[in-house]
Amino acid sequence: MNILITGCNGQLGNEMQLLEAKHPEHCFFNTDVEELDITDSEAVEAFVDHNQIDGIVNCAAYTAVDKAEDNQQLCDLLNRVAPGYLAAAVERRGGWLIQISTDYVFDGTNHTPYVETDPVCPNSTYGRTKLAGEQAALEACSRTMIIRTAWLYSTFGNNFVKTMIRLGKEKPELGVIFDQIGTPTYARDLALAIFAAISQGVKPGIYHFSNEGVISWYDFTKAIHRLAGITTCHVRPLHTSEYPTPAARPHYSVLDKTKIKQTYGIEIPYWEESLKACIANLL
């Protein structure tokens, strides 16, 4: 197949590229904004037609959650409009789309892991535009697979793990929120799940994916420092109210992965195993 990867310079896009060599049976077109402006419908259609694209993995998004509150138009363009363009272009060729989404489509008031059929109720610009992007993609392409993920990190780009390692080395003390619960996701594990879907055949619908287990940001930071060998930084637990942000965060972001595990027969690593692997690659 000819497969288009958008957002190739991001965390997930970079991990996808690392795995492409293991799939020589496919031809990959790795693009970021320099190669393809996905907010330009004519450019998208021309690229998909010219390169005879059979499938698209859309890793591109506006992910600056707080900045999104002041940049709603750009956020909407990247997170809602662009997925619709990609979906429509690949639908005309009878192809498929894998659209990456987020736990932010929920309001975070659950006390048990979210399943794909739970009611959505985003309470931030980022969450609302990502949900609209899901709907646009599903409406425009009959073979759309939505994968919602959470707390993404990797060796690439800016993310929580790299920030906590840097701050842990620089500061004697850190305050980290303890009353927001979720599951970290190593972008490499998500990329492996995407390739499992591609190899077995993309089955349309909404799926959830994160690593296994449950943890708070505070406990996650403690684990990051322990695995990175940082012993000189004292980490304090903070309430969300002590660290106000422009965008509301879900207090509970745990996703139920039963559907994707059963559909594709995949095993998902425990979050600490994956964190250990990531940090080993960072240090």
Side-chain angles (χ1 to χ4, degrees):
M1 288 185 288
N2 293 329
I3 299 172
L4 166 61
I5 310 290
T6 64
C8 72
N9 292 334
Q11 293 190 82
L12 181 57
N14 270 296
E15 295 290 0
M16 291 291 292
Q17 290 185 77
L18 289 179
L19 295 173
E20 287 171 6
K22 296 181 179 179
H23 297 271
E25 70 275 20
H26 302 308
C27 180
F28 295 94
F29 296 81
N30 298 301
T31 68
D32 217 293
V33 66
E34 294 82 9
E35 295 82 23
L36 175 63
D37 179 3
I38 60 171
T39 67
D40 181 337
S41 61
E42 291 182 2
V44 168
E45 191 173 340
F47 189 99
V48 168
D49 288 343
H50 178 74
N51 295 293
Q52 298 182 311
I53 298 298
D54 301 298
I56 299 173
V57 183
N58 183 26
C59 304
Y62 188 105
T63 57
V65 177
D66 288 327
K67 289 181 180 177
E69 298 301 320
D70 293 322
N71 293 281
Q72 296 189 17
Q73 192 171 356
L74 178 59
C75 188
D76 183 71
L77 197 58
L78 280 166
N79 292 351
R80 177 187 65 86
V81 178
Y85 290 160
L86 293 166
V90 80
E91 172 72 7
R92 280 191 286 271
R93 289 191 44 77
W96 49 262
L97 169 69
I98 297 178
Q99 168 70 14
I100 308 303
S101 193
T102 173
D103 60 297
Y104 277 71
V105 301
F106 300 113
D107 62 10
T109 57
N110 259 28
H111 299 288
T112 54
Y114 281 99
V115 296
E116 291 81 358
T117 53
D118 278 336
V120 288
C121 184
N123 54 12
S124 66
T125 297
Y126 171 67
R128 284 190 292 273
T129 57
K130 288 297 287 183
L131 176 59
E134 287 185 11
Q135 294 163 342
L138 288 165
E139 287 170 9
C141 178
S142 58
R143 296 177 68 196
T144 291
M145 178 184 187
I146 306 289
I147 305 179
R148 294 172 180 155
T149 191
W151 295 25
L152 199 68
Y153 70 91
S154 71
T155 57
F156 300 100
N158 297 314
N159 57 68
F160 187 82
V161 172
K162 293 169 78 172
T163 299
M164 290 303 107
I165 290 174
R166 176 176 57 81
L167 292 177
K169 291 176 178 178
E170 291 175 358
K171 296 181 177 293
E173 186 174 283
L174 278 177
V176 182
I177 290 168
F178 79 93
D179 57 359
Q180 291 176 18
I181 307 298
T183 311
T185 307
Y186 186 18
R188 183 162 303 174
D189 293 332
L190 176 54
L192 285 165
I194 291 169
F195 271 104
I198 293 171
S199 298
Q200 295 178 43
V202 172
K203 297 174 178 68
I206 299 173
Y207 298 80
H208 288 170
F209 185 94
S210 68
N211 282 116
E212 298 284 20
V214 181
I215 199 167
S216 72
W217 288 113
Y218 166 76
D219 293 305
F220 190 33
T221 303
K222 297 282 281 186
I224 292 165
H225 285 187
R226 174 169 48 81
L227 293 171
I230 296 169
T231 57
T232 55
C233 180
H234 173 63
V235 182
R236 290 185 299 107
L238 293 180
H239 287 91
T240 298
S241 58
E242 296 177 82
Y243 192 79
T245 54
R249 263 71 172 171
H251 277 274
Y252 187 87
S253 293
V254 184
L255 301 174
D256 186 300
K257 281 82 68 174
T258 303
K259 183 179 177 181
I260 199 166
K261 287 189 288 188
Q262 290 182 345
T263 302
Y264 292 103
I266 58 175
E267 285 190 27
I268 301 176
Y270 179 57
W271 68 263
E272 191 168 356
E273 295 169 17
S274 294
L275 177 62
K276 196 178 294 183
C278 180
I279 288 177
N281 289 329
L282 277 171
L283 301 180

